[in-house]
Structure formats: structure tokens, C-alpha cells
Amino acid sequence: MIDTATKIAAGLERAFVSQGFAEPNVEALRAAADVSLRTLYKYTPSRGEMVLAALEHRHARYIKFVFDDLPQPGPAALEAVIVNIGEWMAREAERGCLFHAAVAAAPRDPRLHDLLKRHKSDVAQRAARVADLGDRENDITVIIEGLTQSWPLMQDAAVNSATSLARCLYH
């Protein structure tokens, strides 16, 4: 059984993915979360908290999707991460990174900037660890960010380019 906080966060995530951050009003967000207005505000007392809850939920899903069931650390694991990110983009983020979109929608919100940095840092650290390239975290970040930012324009070609670039890290 799913707990109420997770149910709300999942519904909010779906609403922000489909409608963006500016469009959905509180009633649309309440409906997406499938709870009463009182319950929505109990768990997320402001629109800012709703955005943060949705993004925290998305982060957990993304980490699980990208990093579960990888080969042994090394080049094959890094390639699997890149393929998984491409699959995530195709299924979950065809318009681009939701974390960047949230910051773009509220550029003065320091909590969103911190969450974006934490999300990207966590992804980079995990990718460097599974790639067995702990000293190349910045390079891996540039490859992954290039993939996620170019996905809306290039789709699978972005995955192919990211894979080629990742192979260069081992030479």
C-alpha cells in the first residue's frame, strides 16, 4: 500500500510534468494528487512545498530507474546508465529535465537551486562510482547533462553520442 505522502508527491509530479509549473492551479494539483484540499495542504502547505515534494519523488524514481540492475562497475555499467537515461527521457521527460524546468519557472527560489544541485551531484557521483571513474565525475556530468539537454532535439542520436563520449573516458 502506498502512503499518503508518496501518493501526493506522485500525483503532483504527474501534474507538473504534463502541465508545467505555472499552469496547474491548486484544484488541479489536488485532483492530480487524488486527496482532499485539507490533506494536500497538510502534507504540502504551500505551492513551493508541492513542487519540492514532486521533485523529491521524481529524484527517487530517477535514481532507481537509472542505477538499479547495472553490470559490474566499469565501461559496461556507464553505457547502461546512459542507455537508461535515454529510456527515462523517452518515457518520462520528452520535454527535458523537470529539475531545470522548475528552476526556470522560479529562478529566485534557493531551495530549487539547492535541489537541482543535489540531484545532479547525486547522479554524477553514482555514475562515476558505477563507471569506476571516481576522478572523472565532472566529465561524466557533462556527458549526462549533454544527453538530457539535447534529448528533446536529438532523441536516440543523443544517446549514441553520449555513449561514444563515455567510451573516450577509458582511453
Side-chain angles (χ1 to χ4, degrees):
M1 183 168 170
I2 191 167
D3 68 79
T4 303
T6 302
K7 175 184 173 182
I8 290 169
L12 292 171
E13 179 193 357
R14 284 189 303 274
F16 292 129
V17 166
S18 67
Q19 300 175 46
F21 291 99
E23 185 176 320
N25 61 27
V26 173
E27 176 53 31
L29 295 172
R30 184 216 55 79
D34 194 28
V35 294
S36 70
L37 192 58
R38 181 180 183 149
T39 301
L40 177 64
Y41 277 121
K42 175 182 175 185
Y43 286 89
T44 54
S46 69
R47 186 178 189 88
E49 293 297 322
M50 292 176 198
V51 171
L52 291 171
L55 291 174
E56 291 284 359
H57 179 73
R58 188 166 185 88
H59 173 75
R61 287 192 329 103
Y62 182 83
I63 293 298
K64 182 172 178 43
F65 188 92
V66 171
F67 293 102
D68 276 6
D69 302 320
L70 295 174
Q72 292 295 330
L78 182 55
E79 287 189 31
V81 165
I82 292 168
V83 167
N84 289 350
I85 291 171
E87 288 181 25
W88 173 272
M89 297 303 292
R91 294 179 190 182
E92 303 276 347
E94 63 187 26
R95 287 184 259 165
C97 176
L98 194 64
F99 291 85
H100 282 292
V103 169
R108 292 185 174 89
D109 187 333
R111 297 176 309 165
L112 289 177
H113 282 275
D114 290 344
L115 183 56
L116 171 65
K117 288 177 190 172
R118 186 167 43 87
H119 169 69
K120 299 301 182 178
S121 176
D122 189 15
V123 170
Q125 289 171 2
R126 288 172 187 261
R129 192 168 44 248
V130 302
D132 201 21
L133 293 170
D135 61 334
R136 305 297 297 270
E137 190 175 307
N138 289 338
D139 298 324
I140 292 169
T141 297
V142 169
I143 292 169
I144 290 172
E145 282 301 293
L147 168 57
T148 60
Q149 293 303 309
S150 63
W151 175 263
L153 299 172
M154 298 174 58
Q155 288 86 36
D156 290 337
V159 173
N160 295 337
S161 292
T163 301
S164 294
L165 292 169
R167 288 181 186 136
C168 294
L169 296 176
Y170 292 95
H171 301 291

